[in-house]
């Protein structure tokens, strides 16, 4: 069974000033993420601005990130969309490319399928590939929640091995943990819920904040799993303002702005997302100050 580790970073897609994919910056960022605690890297997810990337850009990104990461980190390619057939075709293309370690499938968005439709969508895609699959349940961006019962049923499909849970519902998440096999992993999809989700049986996090506080998050998670819950709680409380600050406006605008300050990202974001406004610059400065001063005694 594949081991995604405890910290998976939902990587931004660095752009040049002309908003082309900046592959030199991608290389630097991948090395930075691995150095700073990332066990796996999710490519072309929500934080990676997947809706504005072409299929060709995604395929090249998947290959490039894996070439840079090598065996130092797993690479998870987001291939899901709201069209089952096109998702199957893209999953097959990525599988034939033979680069990535696993696939991610987000809830179909906009068309609001029933639970039966969700089950058949994910099952159909899973059956089109031998690669391990992580589901991504995020109602806030897709207008539909994949229920615990549906995820439990999907966990019986051999290559569906994990879920990134962004429902924000700890009762649902606990039910998933209880009802799925021991080798099925539930990851927090919200940085600020990482520790609470670990407490009900979660395995780790798919993170945005790990771009900048990955090693600190690793200390929090390692403290929890070593039984030092007091220390883990201290780290959680220290990191919480950063977790929340990273979402003062639409993701990935804040994290890209912070990474520009750190010299790891040159460009902005592609429309329809817009960069930080003049009156939001102070929020970025606050984030930088918090990141630079983070400590737990």
């Amino acid at each position: 069974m594949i081991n995604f580790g405890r910290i998976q970073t939902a990587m931004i897609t660095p752009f040049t000033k002309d908003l082309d994919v900046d592959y030199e910056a991608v290389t630097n960022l991948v090395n930075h993420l691995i150095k700073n605690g990332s066990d796996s890297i999710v490519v072309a997810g929500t934080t990676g601005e997947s809706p504005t990337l072409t299929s060709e850009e995604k395929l090249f990104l998947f290959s490039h990130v894996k070439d840079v990461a090598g065996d130092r980190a797993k690479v998870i390619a987001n291939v899901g969309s709201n069209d089952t057939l096109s998702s199957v075709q893209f999953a097959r293309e990525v599988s034939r490319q033979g680069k990535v370690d696993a696939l991610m499938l987000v809830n179909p968005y906009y068309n609001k399928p029933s639970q039966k439709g969700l089950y058949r969508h994910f099952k159909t895609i899973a059956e089109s590939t031998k690669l391990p699959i992580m589901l991504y349940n995020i109602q806030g961006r897709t207008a539909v929640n994949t229920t615990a019962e549906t995820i439990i049923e999907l966990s019986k499909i051999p290559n569906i091995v994990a879920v990134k849970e962004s429902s924000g519902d700890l009762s649902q998440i606990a039910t998933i943990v209880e009802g799925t096999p021991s080798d099925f992993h539930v990851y927090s999809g919200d940085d600020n819920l990482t520790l609470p989700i670990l407490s009900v049986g979660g395995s780790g996090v798919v993170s945005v904040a790990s771009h900048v506080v990955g090693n600190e998050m690793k200390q929090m998670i390692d403290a929890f799993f070593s039984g030092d819950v007091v220390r883990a709680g201290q780290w959680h409380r220290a990191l919480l303002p950063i977790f929340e600050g990273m979402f003062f406006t639409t993701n990935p605008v804040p994290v890209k702005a912070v990474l520009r300050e750190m010299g790891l990202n040159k460009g902005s974001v592609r429309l329809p997302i817009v960069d930080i406004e003049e009156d939001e610059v102070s929020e970025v400065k606050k984030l930088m100050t918090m990141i630079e001063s983070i400590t737990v005694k």
Side-chain angles (χ1 to χ4, degrees):
M1 181 64 66
I2 189 170
N3 181 7
F4 294 116
R6 294 173 176 174
I7 295 182
Q8 302 161 63
T9 298
M11 191 185 78
I12 68 157
T13 301
F15 295 136
T16 66
K17 292 180 180 179
D18 295 326
L19 298 183
D20 297 319
V21 178
D22 187 340
Y23 290 102
E24 179 182 356
V26 171
T27 297
N28 294 335
L29 181 58
V30 169
N31 286 324
H32 165 82
L33 293 177
I34 294 170
K35 182 180 178 181
N36 287 275
S38 294
D39 302 304
S40 296
I41 299 172
V42 177
V43 183
T46 304
T47 306
E49 299 177 70
S50 59
T52 67
L53 295 173
T54 67
S55 295
E56 291 75 17
E57 286 175 323
K58 290 177 184 178
L59 286 168
F60 200 90
L61 261 175
F62 299 153
S63 177
H64 184 79
V65 172
K66 188 57 185 176
D67 284 343
V68 176
D71 59 3
R72 296 180 296 158
K74 297 291 190 294
V75 174
I76 305 167
N78 176 43
V79 300
S81 73
N82 64 341
D83 173 28
T84 306
L85 179 58
S86 64
S87 297
V88 165
Q89 292 171 339
F90 195 47
R92 286 175 174 165
E93 192 168 2
V94 174
S95 298
R96 284 194 297 269
Q97 188 183 45
K99 285 286 189 176
V100 303
D101 300 289
L103 305 179
M104 175 175 280
L105 303 177
V106 69
N107 293 349
Y109 38 86
Y110 187 74
N111 40 24
K112 298 177 71 172
S114 66
Q115 293 302 307
K116 183 177 180 180
L118 287 167
Y119 176 83
R120 291 180 61 183
H121 171 81
F122 290 127
K123 180 175 184 288
T124 300
I125 302 169
E127 289 175 343
S128 73
T129 179
K130 293 182 179 179
L131 285 170
I133 286 172
M134 177 184 293
L135 307 175
Y136 180 15
N137 184 33
I138 179 164
Q139 185 171 4
R141 283 188 179 258
T142 64
V144 64
N145 175 53
T146 306
T147 64
E149 292 73 22
T150 300
I151 292 172
I152 289 167
E153 283 302 305
L154 286 164
S155 74
K156 298 174 183 177
I157 297 170
N159 61 330
I160 296 182
V161 299
V163 62
K164 175 186 177 184
E165 247 294 338
S166 296
S167 66
D169 185 341
L170 283 175
S171 294
Q172 169 164 307
I173 292 164
T175 301
I176 294 168
V177 172
E178 183 67 20
T180 52
S182 59
D183 58 357
F184 183 89
H185 294 286
V186 179
Y187 292 97
S188 175
D190 299 293
D191 286 312
N192 63 337
L193 290 181
T194 302
L195 188 58
I197 287 174
L198 294 181
S199 75
V200 297
S203 298
V205 61
V206 181
S207 174
V208 174
S210 56
H211 281 89
V212 294
V213 287
N215 282 330
E216 291 81 2
M217 293 179 71
K218 191 174 185 65
Q219 290 188 63
M220 177 184 73
I221 295 171
D222 288 350
F224 175 83
F225 281 113
S226 69
D228 192 348
V229 295
V230 172
R231 183 75 170 174
Q234 290 172 333
W235 270 115
H236 171 77
R237 294 189 296 274
L239 289 163
L240 192 57
I242 297 170
F243 293 160
E244 294 176 345
M246 281 293 182
F247 293 88
F248 71 78
T249 189
T250 305
N251 181 47
V253 175
V255 67
K256 277 199 154 184
V258 169
L259 290 170
R260 278 201 302 271
E261 293 291 319
M262 297 172 63
L264 289 165
N265 177 47
K266 300 172 187 174
S268 180
V269 289
R270 288 178 174 175
L271 288 170
I273 300 174
V274 296
D275 209 346
I276 56 169
E277 305 289 342
E278 187 175 342
D279 61 351
E280 295 172 327
V281 172
S282 62
E283 296 296 327
V284 177
K285 292 180 178 178
K286 287 179 187 176
L287 269 170
M288 291 301 300
T289 298
M290 287 189 289
I291 292 164
E292 290 166 359
S293 62
I294 187 74
T295 184
V296 168
K297 294 181 181 179

